[in-house]
Amino acid sequence: MKIVVAGGTGTVGRHVADVVRERGHTAVVLSRATGTDLVSGKGMARALEEANAVIDVTSVKTQSAKASVAFFSTVTRNLLNAGRAAGVHHHVALSIVGSNLAPYGYYAGKAAQEHLISNGNVPWTMLRATQFHEFAQQIFRRFTVGPIHVIPVMKCQPVAAREVAERLVTLAEG
Ligand SMILES: NC(=O)c1ccc[n+]([C@@H]2O[C@H](COP(=O)([O-])OP(=O)(O)OC[C@H]3O[C@@H](n4cnc5c(N)ncnc54)[C@H](OP(=O)(O)O)[C@@H]3O)[C@@H](O)[C@H]2O)c1
């Protein structure tokens, strides 16, 4: 299979690309680092040619609902439109457990993404995962005030990004 991994250089995305290749498929990684900006959409049509499935594991570093909704809505629309034009018959996306119940801040973007995909016309599968074990490191790096790292107190039941990646690829294969 040819599987497009949108955000395939990220925390979970690089595991997704690894698993796709380990299972003998072709992985096409789309990210700004690999030359494709999914917000502008430039160059996407070509990348999606003859793809069997798209796995969307893109993300934006923001806690602003407005910025999150703008990012996830634009990227999702671009991927769905390009996917439909290219004949992609499975759009797999990663969301977060609880984002539909608390659509605020960053989660507002995830809720918008879920809405667009579930009301779109490309066949889809949505996986909602809890926070990754790697999330602690992401938070540590992101929330800084000068030399101070701000760590929120939060209860969660984390999962390894690699395990989530394996599940996403299994879903795409199905
Ligand atoms: N982190 C968690 O604990 C967790 C838990 C459950 C679900 N999720 C979901 O999993 C997904 C991935 O999260 P993550 O933590 O792995 O994210 P991440 O490490 O921040 O990676 C984000 C990916 O998106 C790409 N990207 C960002 N802006 C882009 C753009 N304009 N065009 C193309 N690519 C772009 C990045 O590559 P470039 O910077 O090179 O563009 C990178 O590959 C998100 O949807 C998130 O909601 C995360």
Side-chain angles (χ1 to χ4, degrees):
M1 289 176 74
K2 174 177 170 180
I3 301 179
V4 171
V5 187
T9 55
T11 307
V12 68
R14 65 182 84 111
H15 289 293
V16 174
D18 285 348
V19 176
V20 166
R21 294 187 186 110
E22 285 163 21
R23 293 193 188 173
H25 306 301
T26 301
V28 177
V29 170
L30 301 184
S31 83
R32 289 167 301 181
T34 61
T36 307
D37 187 335
L38 294 166
V39 171
S40 76
K42 231 173 140 186
M44 279 171 69
R46 188 150 192 189
L48 266 67
E49 273 171 15
E50 293 176 12
N52 303 98
V54 168
I55 300 178
D56 181 6
V57 279
T58 55
S59 188
V60 61
K61 293 176 178 60
T62 186
Q63 287 307 313
S64 149
K66 197 174 163 193
S68 183
V69 168
F71 176 83
F72 283 109
S73 299
T74 305
V75 168
T76 302
R77 276 198 196 98
N78 285 344
L79 283 172
L80 291 175
N81 289 341
R84 197 176 52 243
V88 172
H89 45 78
H90 197 181
H91 183 99
V92 178
L94 180 60
S95 195
I96 309 173
V97 170
S99 54
N100 56 321
L101 301 174
Y104 313 111
Y106 176 84
Y107 280 16
K110 301 305 293 178
Q113 178 187 25
E114 289 195 6
H115 179 79
L116 284 170
I117 291 169
S118 56
N119 289 285
N121 47 16
V122 177
W124 56 274
T125 304
M126 188 88 59
L127 175 68
R128 289 187 184 135
T130 57
Q131 283 67 36
F132 310 146
H133 293 302
E134 293 85 345
F135 185 63
Q137 190 184 42
Q138 290 178 310
I139 291 288
F140 181 79
R141 285 187 180 150
R142 270 173 214 170
F143 298 110
T144 55
V145 184
I148 310 290
H149 292 259
V150 181
I151 310 295
V153 174
M154 101 183 246
K155 279 188 179 172
C156 62
Q157 186 178 337
V159 61
R162 166 79 194 197
E163 203 176 330
V164 173
E166 286 169 0
R167 181 74 185 131
L168 285 167
V169 177
T170 299
L171 291 169
E173 289 172 325

